[in-house]
Amino acid sequence: MRLVNVAGVRLRRAAEEEEREPPPPPPPSHHSNHQFASMKNKFFNELTHLPNHKLKMPMWAVGAIVVVVLALVACLGFCIYKKCFNKGKKPKKVRERKGGRGRRKKDKEGEDGDEKKEGEEGKEEEEKESLGKLEYSLDYNFTDNQLIVGILQAQDLPAMDIGGTSDPYVKVYMLPDKKKKFETKVQRKNLCPVFNETFNFKIPYSELGGQTLVLQVFDFDRFGKHDVIGEIKIAMNSIDLGQPIHEWKDLVGGEKEEQEKLGDICISLRYVPTAGKLTVNIMEAKNLKKMDVGGLSDPFVKVVLQHNGKRLKKKKTSVKQNTLNPYFNESFSFEIPFSQIQKIQVLITVYDYDKLGSNDAIGKCWIGYGASGVGLRHWSDMLANPRRPVAQWHTLLPEEELDAALKAPIR
């Protein structure tokens, strides 16, 4: 009986195990078995060559590694973008902090640098380029009420021209009236010129104390404005004219004297080559400088004809009373052969007539040989249009300036 029971139990267990086992899969084909086997062998062969082939990595670990690698690549790309495309741009707070530190630093440096600047300014003054020096003399003739100014020589003048030289001359006048001005001759290409020229100012001794003598050294330029090299100013109330004065003084920098407007004059020129006849017509003037106490002038015009610097003839117009815009319309004829016309100079000077004293020059212009600008163009137009009158307005220049240009050799 017990054997029967044991056998029954064994049969029931065998039946349960058969129920638990899944039905066997369909047998694979021969071709698929061969592919599977080859892939498996290839995989295991590659796996055996890895250094850590014994380690088994789960899928979540592989995913984490991929995420970390991608994050590193993204950070690297962001850094490159900031470095290349956003260079120089700083956050506002950083700029403000740096700006504050910079201002505080500058303030400290400014306090410390004030003393340095004072020392540097002193050095700069010492290192300033020397403008040279001028030798002059002063004397007063109490009998004739004349101040005698001698311009003797200059030394160590700076080079103002490209060639390393200068063409110096000295202008002498009194302030504040500037009524009478003198100029020395131009010394060509000379940094240590010798002048030895004397000029007289007729001024009562009682009026001399309120005036200042100005000695200005210029570099002459035929085709442009003359440059100021340096100047000396001498207050008459600061010196003793009881005995002659003879001394050297260093030139100091001076601004160029502002060009004073003297007025304009209209002139007509006509030349007939066959007859050798030059006609100069003084037509009118405008905006002349006021020369009289009442704010007007009594102008007249002097015409001087020169050939190659030598005076030939001179003429003058009638005087127009109490006007700054006179109308003349007066003609003067000169016999000039065609062979000489190229070297002719016409000098036009406007004067203020004075019954009691000498006539004062208001201004001057120069037409013809050696002239420049409007003066040369007017002369060329006249020669290019024979037998026809050619009119042109000319700006009046200071007589001293034009005389200095006439004294200089014509290039």
Side-chain angles (χ1 to χ4, degrees):
M1 191 72 180
R2 288 181 67 182
L3 290 172
V4 173
N5 290 336
V6 171
V9 170
R10 287 180 178 174
L11 288 173
R12 283 196 298 273
R13 286 180 180 173
E16 288 175 0
E17 288 176 1
E18 286 178 359
E19 290 175 359
R20 290 176 187 171
E21 289 180 4
S29 64
H30 179 72
H31 181 67
S32 62
N33 288 337
H34 179 69
Q35 281 187 344
F36 177 77
S38 63
M39 289 177 65
K40 182 177 70 173
N41 293 333
K42 187 176 180 182
F43 174 78
F44 280 104
N45 285 335
E46 291 178 355
L47 191 62
T48 55
H49 289 289
L50 295 172
N52 58 347
H53 63 277
K54 292 182 180 180
L55 298 175
K56 294 182 181 180
M57 296 179 65
M59 289 301 295
W60 65 267
V62 175
I65 292 173
V66 172
V67 170
V68 170
V69 171
L70 291 176
L72 290 174
V73 171
C75 291
L76 181 63
F78 180 76
C79 292
I80 292 172
Y81 170 78
K82 293 288 286 184
K83 187 75 175 175
C84 297
F85 298 100
N86 223 16
K87 190 176 181 180
K89 294 182 180 179
K90 298 179 181 178
K92 185 176 180 182
K93 291 183 179 179
V94 175
R95 288 199 299 269
E96 289 176 353
R97 287 197 297 271
K98 288 192 176 181
R101 288 198 297 270
R103 283 192 293 272
R104 289 194 295 272
K105 189 176 180 181
K106 284 182 182 177
D107 292 340
K108 290 180 181 178
E109 289 177 355
E111 293 174 0
D112 297 334
D114 286 341
E115 298 176 359
K116 292 182 181 178
K117 282 183 180 178
E118 291 176 1
E120 289 175 358
E121 287 174 0
K123 289 181 181 178
E124 285 177 3
E125 289 178 1
E126 293 176 359
E127 294 175 358
K128 272 185 180 178
E129 184 182 3
S130 172
L131 300 176
K133 54 185 180 180
L134 182 68
E135 184 184 15
Y136 65 92
S137 64
L138 295 176
D139 195 7
Y140 191 79
N141 187 331
F142 289 90
T143 305
D144 298 332
N145 287 331
Q146 283 188 341
L147 175 68
I148 304 167
V149 181
I151 305 299
L152 305 178
Q153 61 179 324
Q155 283 188 359
D156 305 326
L157 298 181
M160 304 293 285
D161 299 336
I162 298 175
T165 61
S166 294
D167 303 323
Y169 70 94
V170 182
K171 183 182 289 188
V172 184
Y173 60 92
M174 302 293 291
L175 291 176
D177 56 1
K178 296 185 184 180
K179 193 170 183 180
K180 198 167 188 179
K181 295 182 181 180
F182 298 101
E183 289 183 0
T184 67
K185 293 179 181 178
V186 177
Q187 302 296 320
R188 302 287 295 178
K189 297 181 180 179
N190 198 336
L191 299 181
C192 296
V194 176
F195 300 103
N196 286 331
E197 297 186 42
T198 304
F199 308 103
N200 298 329
F201 292 90
K202 193 163 186 177
I203 305 173
Y205 187 77
S206 58
E207 299 177 9
L208 198 60
Q211 302 198 38
T212 301
L213 176 66
V214 181
L215 311 177
Q216 276 188 322
V217 182
F218 284 83
D219 173 49
F220 174 79
D221 187 350
R222 177 178 294 278
F223 302 105
K225 291 184 177 180
H226 305 171
D227 299 319
V228 177
I229 296 177
E231 68 180 14
I232 297 171
K233 289 185 177 180
I234 306 164
M236 291 292 100
N237 58 8
S238 66
I239 59 174
D240 181 14
L241 290 173
Q243 56 186 0
I245 297 172
H246 185 155
E247 62 184 0
W248 285 91
K249 265 196 178 180
D250 291 330
L251 295 169
V252 297
E255 296 182 359
K256 182 171 173 58
E257 185 183 0
E258 187 177 350
Q259 189 70 51
E260 191 177 15
K261 293 183 180 179
L262 305 176
D264 303 280
I265 186 169
C266 186
I267 303 163
S268 173
L269 299 177
R270 179 174 178 264
Y271 183 66
V272 181
T274 54
K277 184 178 179 181
L278 173 66
T279 303
V280 180
N281 186 293
I282 306 300
M283 301 178 73
E284 60 178 315
K286 64 180 181 180
N287 302 325
L288 296 180
K289 180 184 175 183
K290 302 170 185 177
M291 302 293 287
D292 297 340
V293 179
L296 295 173
S297 296
D298 302 322
F300 71 94
V301 180
K302 182 189 285 187
V303 181
V304 175
L305 199 72
Q306 294 186 167
H307 177 259
N308 201 18
K310 183 179 179 181
R311 181 177 292 190
L312 298 178
K313 294 180 181 179
K314 63 178 180 179
K315 305 277 186 179
K316 61 181 179 179
T317 67
S318 58
V319 178
K320 304 298 178 182
Q321 299 288 335
N322 300 324
T323 178
L324 300 179
N325 300 283
Y327 181 78
F328 298 100
N329 196 24
E330 298 183 32
S331 295
F332 307 99
S333 296
F334 304 92
E335 300 294 330
I336 306 294
F338 183 72
S339 59
Q340 298 181 1
I341 194 65
Q342 296 291 343
K343 296 285 184 78
I344 291 294
Q345 296 170 320
V346 181
L347 308 179
I348 310 293
T349 310
V350 182
Y351 286 91
D352 174 48
Y353 176 72
D354 193 341
K355 292 179 181 179
L356 302 177
S358 60
N359 302 323
D360 299 318
I362 297 175
K364 193 170 186 177
C365 67
W366 169 15
I367 308 169
Y369 176 62
S372 60
V374 178
L376 178 61
R377 187 170 65 248
H378 191 188
W379 190 253
S380 300
D381 290 344
M382 179 201 72
L383 294 177
N385 297 276
R387 295 178 293 277
R388 288 178 54 189
V390 180
Q392 177 70 53
W393 281 96
H394 294 260
T395 300
L396 295 173
L397 298 175
E399 184 183 30
E400 310 83 28
E401 185 176 318
L402 225 68
D403 287 345
L406 286 165
K407 290 174 186 175
I410 297 173
R411 297 175 182 175

